[in-house]
Amino acid sequence: MATSKQAAIKFIFITLLIDVMGWGLIIPVMPELIVQLKHISVNEASPYGAWLLSVYAITQFLFAPVIGNLSDKYGRRPVLLGSLLGFGIDYLFLALAPTYGWLFVGRIIAGITGASFTTASAYIADISTPETRAKNFGMIGAAFGLGFIIGPALGGLLAGWE
């Protein structure tokens, strides 16, 4: 039983690391992507990037309760995997979008499926004992921190690679 809990914690850590890494990865890449699609300068791309980040945050806020209910009904792991699938679809839209409008479609999909921290927190609460709860929730913080270090660094490298 202890090994299955450890495997679940590793799964949650890796899932959140990928999630946050991907979110951080897109930030340095987004301005150049908007410049190419809108045929504008980088300083003119800022409001367009803000709209894309805002639509993601708004849809994530609106759909977090839905994702939470789905994870209660169908289980935490399938919902976390669905969240990663949603991000994968978003990244395909970002890579293949012929117009700026398609970026919105991808960000909305990512926002709808992107409430993974809520599900991960519930998963941690489900499998933790009172003695391990703080340590396990600390792993969520570690995944978040590492993702925000690795993601933008990787995005910056990719932004300069053409």
Side-chain angles (χ1 to χ4, degrees):
M1 183 72 171
T3 56
S4 67
K5 286 185 180 183
Q6 290 172 341
I9 290 168
K10 288 177 185 174
F11 168 75
I12 293 167
F13 179 82
I14 291 168
T15 301
L16 293 179
L17 179 65
I18 291 168
D19 188 349
V20 177
M21 240 174 59
W23 199 81
L25 181 133
I26 195 61
I27 292 171
V29 177
M30 184 93 54
E32 185 59 34
L33 182 60
I34 294 168
V35 165
Q36 289 176 5
L37 292 175
K38 297 288 287 176
H39 306 291
I40 56 176
S41 65
V42 172
N43 62 332
E44 293 172 314
S46 295
Y48 295 101
W51 282 110
L52 288 171
L53 292 175
S54 297
V55 76
Y56 168 77
I58 290 166
T59 54
Q60 189 175 33
F61 174 76
L62 293 174
F63 282 88
V66 174
I67 297 296
N69 286 337
L70 289 173
S71 75
D72 289 342
K73 185 172 183 175
Y74 298 108
R76 312 287 188 220
R77 191 174 297 234
V79 170
L80 286 172
L81 290 172
S83 176
L84 287 178
L85 176 66
F87 274 111
I89 292 168
D90 173 42
Y91 299 143
L92 286 174
F93 272 95
L94 291 172
L96 303 174
T99 64
Y100 174 75
W102 283 104
L103 296 180
F104 272 99
V105 175
R107 296 313 294 168
I108 289 169
I109 291 169
I112 289 170
T113 63
S116 59
F117 274 90
T118 309
T119 305
S121 296
Y123 202 168
I124 290 289
D126 291 346
I127 64 171
S128 296
T129 64
E131 296 81 26
T132 61
R133 185 161 288 136
K135 179 181 84 163
N136 293 343
F137 275 105
M139 292 297 286
I140 289 177
F144 191 83
L146 280 173
F148 264 120
I149 292 169
I150 297 168
L154 188 58
L157 289 172
L158 291 174
W161 183 50
E162 294 186 28

